[in-house]
Amino acid sequence: MAEDKVDELLQKLQKYFSHITASEIMNKNVITLTSERTLWQAKELMKIRKISGIPVVNDQRKLIGIISIEDIIMALEKNYIKEPIGNHMTKRVVSFSPDEPLESIVSKFERYHFGRFPVVDKNKRILGVISKKDIIRAILERFRLIYVHDERRSQILEKEAEWFDKSLITGDYVKKSDADFVFQINYTNVDLAGAGAAKLKFFLTKKGIGETLVRRVAIATYEAEVNVVIHSESEGAIYCWIEKTCIKVRVEDHGRGIENIEQAMKEGYSTATDHIRELGFGAGMGLPNIRRYSDQMVVMSEVGKGVVVEMIFCERG
């Protein structure tokens, strides 16, 4: 794909995936060199790995500089290609923090025109690198996780009963009777919106699940529960299964449904009434927040038939 086409694509997509951070995009398999290595060695490594720059680190893996293909070209022209990298590397390196959002990442690519940027923690230890290809890959992966673009999605849509009885992620029948946690959502009292998420948080904490993971589950479940209360005009349910490597949560209702899922995924989009907004709900962050805090998410809906939101949460390293 031509460079200008990549830039155009990133401009169009970044507003839909603004929640993605550097830690989710970066390539953790980082090629690095230490300062005593020669420019010639850097040149050969770039040629073998087909990369345009290499971070330079010290013994503690702290970023101290970067060597680029432009530095190599200059070294060849001026005949110092066998000198140490430390003598010629760029020491003032533009980098990303792990929690840097996509908008800022794209902005830096546009501003500095580098091929890749290192990602470092607060102690300057290198965690990964990000190229434009890494950004595209992360966005495509999000597309794959959010929507089911296969024959099974079409089959499920054609058979209403199936998407209430089957997992949207695996396609297996859901054993709701085996759920570790079940909560019936009462849509008639908006003051109770979030009660199920609070009980689920307490339940998971009692089970010894880690605080960070519990928090992510609770936030995403809260958003899904509130959507049932303020939009569905129907009672709903929360189901949770604690599995060996992850936690699965499913929130469903048989109410009004979502007319346009793609539009509903955009931050700030909401169909909530003025009354609901006055109560502090309906900011248009429900589905985007669910997407942000879950590791996998699939939404299935049809107008007049209801909504199923299925989420998977795993420990993040």
Side-chain angles (χ1 to χ4, degrees):
M1 187 181 293
E3 187 73 14
D4 58 340
K5 293 293 184 182
V6 172
D7 292 340
E8 183 181 348
L9 180 60
L10 290 178
Q11 281 294 327
K12 290 180 178 179
L13 291 176
Q14 64 172 314
K15 59 183 178 181
Y16 300 109
F17 294 90
S18 58
H19 61 283
I20 301 179
T21 62
S23 62
E24 299 172 272
I25 299 171
M26 68 184 184
N27 182 348
K28 296 180 182 179
N29 297 318
V30 192
I31 304 298
T32 62
L33 288 171
T34 50
S35 60
E36 68 272 11
R37 295 287 187 174
T38 66
L39 291 162
W40 176 268
Q41 290 172 317
K43 176 183 76 70
E44 292 299 300
L45 192 54
M46 288 183 196
K47 182 171 67 175
I48 293 169
R49 296 289 184 171
K50 295 181 173 59
I51 53 180
S52 60
I54 301 175
V56 184
V57 300
N58 62 17
D59 293 339
Q60 288 77 46
R61 295 261 312 162
K62 289 186 177 182
L63 183 69
I64 58 173
I66 195 164
I67 198 78
S68 69
I69 192 68
E70 287 80 8
D71 297 320
I72 298 300
I73 293 170
M74 183 69 70
L76 287 168
E77 289 178 350
K78 298 191 175 182
N79 199 30
Y80 56 78
I81 193 68
K82 293 187 178 180
E83 292 187 15
I85 290 172
N87 295 350
H88 303 282
M89 67 184 181
T90 299
K91 296 181 180 179
R92 296 183 65 181
V93 184
V94 181
S95 61
F96 299 137
S97 63
D99 58 353
E100 192 146 354
L102 179 60
E103 184 178 5
S104 175
I105 292 170
V106 173
S107 176
K108 284 184 179 178
F109 269 100
E110 292 175 347
R111 179 178 178 183
Y112 295 102
H113 303 289
F114 296 153
R116 64 192 64 234
F117 291 82
V119 181
V120 298
D121 64 17
K122 61 183 179 181
N123 296 315
K124 296 298 182 182
R125 282 192 293 267
I126 191 159
L127 304 174
V129 293
I130 294 178
S131 67
K132 289 181 180 178
K133 287 183 179 179
D134 294 321
I135 298 175
I136 297 295
R137 174 190 52 75
I139 289 175
L140 291 176
E141 178 66 10
R142 284 288 172 169
F143 271 125
R144 185 186 71 81
L145 295 177
I146 296 169
Y147 302 110
V148 184
H149 291 300
D150 56 17
E151 292 181 2
R152 181 166 57 80
R153 177 180 172 91
S154 299
Q155 292 168 357
I156 290 173
L157 282 171
E158 290 170 3
K159 300 177 182 179
E160 175 195 351
E162 287 199 357
W163 51 280
F164 278 99
D165 295 334
K166 285 188 174 183
S167 168
L168 305 182
I169 295 174
T170 67
D172 299 327
Y173 277 99
V174 177
K175 295 181 180 179
K176 297 177 185 178
S177 60
D178 291 345
D180 297 294
F181 174 92
V182 179
F183 180 85
Q184 298 300 320
I185 303 170
N186 180 0
Y187 78 98
T188 62
N189 188 347
V190 72
D191 291 333
L192 295 178
K199 288 189 175 182
L200 177 56
K201 181 180 180 180
F202 180 79
F203 172 79
L204 293 175
T205 301
K206 283 289 187 181
K207 289 289 185 179
I209 308 299
E211 181 181 352
T212 301
L213 181 57
V214 169
R215 178 176 177 273
R216 288 170 48 217
V217 173
I219 291 173
T221 304
Y222 171 84
E223 297 287 6
E225 182 182 359
V226 167
N227 279 348
V228 173
V229 174
I230 69 175
H231 294 299
S232 73
E233 297 182 357
S234 166
E235 292 182 350
I238 300 170
Y239 300 93
C240 176
W241 295 264
I242 302 174
E243 301 181 350
K244 288 183 178 180
T245 59
C246 63
I247 293 173
K248 182 189 294 182
V249 177
R250 182 182 175 97
V251 181
E252 58 183 50
D253 68 76
H254 290 268
R256 294 167 55 193
I258 302 173
E259 188 170 342
N260 187 323
I261 292 179
E262 283 74 13
Q263 196 169 30
M265 292 298 299
K266 297 178 183 178
E267 294 189 5
Y269 175 79
S270 176
T271 60
T273 64
D274 291 340
H275 172 64
I276 291 297
R277 290 177 183 271
E278 288 171 3
L279 293 173
F281 301 105
M285 295 300 294
L287 291 180
N289 271 341
I290 297 171
R291 177 176 61 187
R292 177 179 293 111
Y293 287 101
S294 61
D295 292 290
Q296 292 190 53
M297 165 196 175
V298 178
V299 182
M300 192 70 69
S301 179
E302 190 171 345
V303 175
K305 294 185 178 180
V307 180
V308 176
V309 180
E310 195 165 292
M311 304 160 276
I312 289 180
F313 306 84
C314 304
E315 289 284 3
R316 293 177 177 176

